[in-house]
């Protein structure tokens, strides 16, 4: 969903979507990533069979099958719907943070900023995207006439709002202990009852 939203955001007529002349390259990269993801998802059963042939990759094979079952199965609409809602809430947060700082951001600009900030955050060279996200946002907004200190403050506020929004999940993750599976329960789950 992230790739889809970023692709749509870059297709918009937003002033920020030009991205310093790199818009075409980013659209090509996102389109290639989307096509590759769909092809890999559709080819997951054959990929799983190939992975099962070698002892070194055999433990990975169930993940390919499970990913396809989850993302193409009955719960796929719920998963994609929840992902879409979460990303729209992040775009709304960008709109509201911009408004609180006097930055008038149309929806298209907020979507482009969301795509840029999220892309910077998932690059695995920093913790949670800190630093890289601020650099990207400051460079983009500064090229459109925003003062660098306001752009930096905007990006830091967005990062802090993500931390605050993640706290309930972090607390549940720290406290939650799943019940251990017993042999009796595992057998009951595999065989239907006769009653």
């Amino acid at each position: 969903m992230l790739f889809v939203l970023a692709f749509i955001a870059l297709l918009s007529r937003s002033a920020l979507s030009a991205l310093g002349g790199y818009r075409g390259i980013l659209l090509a990269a996102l389109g290639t990533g989307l096509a590759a993801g769909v092809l890999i998802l559709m080819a997951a059963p054959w990929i799983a069979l190939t992975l099962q042939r070698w002892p070194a990759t055999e433990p990975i094979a169930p993940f390919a099958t499970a990913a396809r079952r989850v993302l193409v199965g009955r719960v796929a609409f719920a998963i994609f719907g929840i992902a879409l809602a979460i990303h729209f809430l992040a775009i709304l947060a960008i709109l509201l943070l911009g408004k609180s700082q006097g930055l008038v951001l149309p929806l298209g600009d907020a979507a482009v900023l969301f795509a840029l900030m999220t892309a910077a955050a998932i690059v695995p060279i920093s913790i949670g995207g800190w630093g890289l996200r601020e650099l990207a946002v400051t460079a983009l907004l500064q090229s459109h006439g925003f003062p660098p200190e306001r752009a930096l403050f905007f990006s830091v506020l967005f990062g802090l709002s993500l931390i605050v929004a993640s706290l309930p999940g972090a607390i549940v993750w720290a406290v939650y202990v799943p019940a251990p599976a017993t042999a009796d329960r595992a057998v009951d789950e595999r065989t239907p009852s006769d009653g």
Side-chain angles (χ1 to χ4, degrees):
M1 286 311 297
L2 179 61
F3 274 47
V4 169
L5 284 176
F7 193 81
I8 292 170
L10 290 179
L11 287 176
S12 72
R13 298 284 180 199
S14 164
L16 297 179
S17 68
L19 295 174
Y22 292 103
R23 179 178 175 217
I25 295 169
L26 288 174
L27 279 172
L30 285 171
T32 303
L34 281 170
V38 169
L39 287 174
I40 289 171
L41 192 58
M42 293 301 130
W46 296 282
I47 293 171
L49 288 174
T50 304
L51 291 172
Q52 286 176 347
R53 292 182 187 166
W54 296 291
T57 59
E58 186 178 6
I60 303 170
F63 292 112
T65 307
R68 186 175 194 285
R69 187 173 47 240
V70 168
L71 295 176
V72 179
R74 289 179 289 151
V75 296
F77 287 113
I79 290 171
F80 288 121
I82 291 169
L84 189 64
I86 289 169
H87 294 323
F88 274 127
L89 286 174
I91 292 170
L92 178 65
I94 291 169
L95 283 170
L96 294 175
L97 283 173
K99 187 175 182 180
S100 72
Q101 290 192 12
L103 301 173
V104 180
L105 295 171
L107 183 63
D109 288 352
V112 170
L113 275 173
F114 165 75
L116 178 70
M117 287 192 275
T118 308
I122 63 174
V123 174
I125 61 171
S126 68
I127 297 173
W130 285 96
L132 192 59
R133 178 183 55 234
E134 283 68 37
L135 178 66
V137 170
T138 302
L140 180 65
L141 291 179
Q142 188 177 2
S143 69
H144 288 278
F146 293 103
E149 59 277 355
R150 283 181 67 195
L152 176 63
F153 187 62
F154 173 78
S155 183
V156 169
L157 279 180
F158 180 74
L160 292 174
S161 68
L162 287 179
I163 290 173
V164 170
S166 301
L167 283 177
I171 293 168
V172 170
W173 183 55
V175 174
Y176 177 72
V177 178
T182 62
D184 294 336
R185 195 167 82 189
V187 169
D188 289 341
E189 290 174 357
R190 281 190 234 137
T191 60
S193 63
D194 295 338

